[in-house]
Every structure is written in C-alpha cells, then in structure tokens.
Amino acid sequence: MFMLVVALAFVTAVTSANGQSTKARASVPFDFIVGSETLPSGAYSVQSITSGGDVLRIQSSTSNDSAARLTMPAEGKSEQAKLVFHRYGQRYFLAEVWCGADAAGRKLMKSQQERAIEKENAQIARHGGPAATYERVEVLAALR
C-alpha cells in the first residue's frame, strides 16, 4: 500500500511539473541546425520534455521535422520570449530558448559541427586570415 501511495505521488509530481514546462512558438525564416539535425525554415513549437526542463523538443508545426537537445540554464534575463541562434556564414545553430520575464532561459549544448566551426575560426584568426563571421540572431516567439 505504501509503495502505491509513493508511486501515485511521483506520477502526480511529474505530471504537474510537465504542465509547467517551457512552451513557445516561433516562425523561423531560415534553415537551422539543432544537434545533428538540420531543420527547414517554418513555424516551430519548442517544449521541454523533462520535468526539470533539461531536454527541449523543437517540432515543426507543419511537418514531421523535429529535434531534441540537452540544455542547461542560461545566464541573464529576457523580457521577451525568443529563440537565439548563432550564425556562422549561412549556417544557423539554435543556441538558446527564452520564454519571457518569469521563466529562465535554456542554453542548448553546442553540436559537434558548431564546435568544429569555432575551432576552425580560432585557427584561422591565429594565422591572420579572415574567419567566418559570427552573429547572434534573435527570433521573437509567442508563449502558448
């Protein structure tokens, strides 16, 4: 009986934590990379799929395209819900997800491809060459 009560309490806690999960929608005007997946431009929803918000799922609103990525808390605050991308040349990497003033931002773990670009840029810069341009791009999102 005790185990049944503990199990029920656990399921209730997970359900209520998931009910408070990160949920946002955004229209991304360019193809972008999440982990090892390249997602086409379009409308996307972003939602945490763990109770602690450590894993985010990025799901296309119009197709079956999706990706999941491990995250960690982002530093700072944002008054607006937004997706933050790192741009190197014509490649965009989803880097952060912010869900407004009351929610902490989530920073996505960098992919192997993004780390390789950073390493290559550092080597080029050490040798005096022109590195690929880095830019931080923000796309506003709506909470749902």
Side-chain angles (χ1 to χ4, degrees):
M1 183 66 160
F2 176 74
M3 291 303 286
L4 179 63
V5 171
V6 170
L8 183 59
F10 178 77
V11 169
T12 303
V14 169
T15 302
S16 67
N18 282 335
Q20 300 170 359
S21 65
T22 303
K23 294 180 182 179
R25 289 180 185 245
S27 181
V28 182
F30 43 77
D31 295 356
F32 62 101
I33 300 166
V34 178
S36 61
E37 300 292 325
T38 299
L39 302 175
S41 62
Y44 284 87
S45 64
V46 180
Q47 180 175 359
S48 61
I49 57 175
T50 59
S51 60
D54 297 336
V55 179
L56 293 180
R57 179 179 59 215
I58 299 87
Q59 174 81 40
S60 171
S61 300
T62 58
S63 72
N64 290 329
D65 294 316
S66 68
R69 195 74 180 151
L70 187 62
T71 68
M72 63 182 111
E75 294 180 16
K77 294 191 179 219
S78 175
E79 293 298 316
Q80 294 191 348
K82 62 185 174 184
L83 305 182
V84 177
F85 298 86
H86 292 167
R87 177 180 174 224
Y88 303 90
Q90 293 302 312
R91 288 186 245 172
Y92 294 83
F93 296 87
L94 181 59
E96 299 172 11
V97 175
W98 295 86
C99 289
D102 293 335
R106 301 299 301 181
K107 183 177 179 179
L108 281 72
M109 304 297 283
K110 288 185 180 178
S111 68
Q112 184 177 4
Q113 186 178 6
E114 184 175 5
R115 288 192 310 270
I117 290 172
E118 287 178 332
K119 185 177 179 179
E120 181 180 331
N121 283 345
Q123 288 176 347
I124 291 170
R126 269 184 264 149
H127 296 296
T133 305
Y134 165 81
E135 183 179 8
R136 181 181 164 98
V137 177
E138 297 181 1
V139 174
L140 293 181
L143 298 179
R144 57 177 187 132

